Amino acid sequence: MMKKLMMSLVALAMLSTAASAKTMEKAPKENVNAKTTTYRLPKTNTLVKVTEEIKESQGKLTRCVFVLSFYDYDTAQLVGTHTSETYTNGGCGSFFKACRAFWGV
């Protein structure tokens, strides 16, 4: 069981690293700033990867994208996603805080 758990965590870490590397690769071209964190939901067999992405436009508006990716804890397979986005005149902090509060992450 412990070995299976470690393998799942390693697989998830690899997925997160690959996703972060891909995001960072795009950052210079699209002027994107992304932050990704992973949580295990209490009393469930689910891991949640939270990505907060800020895309600056050439105008005055900033695009804020909040993505939740749900993974089976044992198999590290993606089981669902949810995306919320908005445009703001300033930063994305308040939007991300509201999304985290709504989803409990």
Side-chain angles (χ1 to χ4, degrees):
M1 178 69 174
M2 185 61 119
K3 186 175 181 179
K4 187 176 181 181
L5 173 66
M6 289 303 292
M7 289 175 60
S8 294
L9 291 174
V10 169
L12 184 62
M14 290 174 61
L15 286 172
S16 296
T17 302
S20 296
K22 188 174 183 180
T23 301
M24 293 307 288
E25 182 180 81
K26 289 183 180 180
K29 290 189 269 183
E30 298 179 359
N31 201 13
V32 174
N33 181 10
K35 175 184 156 189
T36 302
T37 52
T38 304
Y39 303 93
R40 182 171 183 189
L41 296 180
K43 300 180 182 179
T44 69
N45 201 32
T46 307
L47 289 174
V48 177
K49 183 170 78 169
V50 177
T51 302
E52 298 171 341
E53 186 174 277
I54 301 168
K55 294 184 178 183
E56 296 178 5
S57 64
Q58 293 190 9
K60 294 182 179 181
L61 295 178
T62 300
R63 181 176 175 214
C64 309
V65 182
F66 183 85
V67 180
L68 292 173
S69 303
F70 301 94
Y71 294 87
D72 180 270
Y73 187 77
D74 292 328
T75 64
Q77 290 186 357
L78 182 67
V79 294
T81 61
H82 173 78
T83 303
S84 297
E85 64 182 88
T86 192
Y87 289 87
T88 67
N89 285 335
C92 296
S94 296
F95 173 70
F96 293 149
K97 185 176 180 179
C99 290
R100 286 180 171 275
F102 179 81
W103 287 96
V105 292

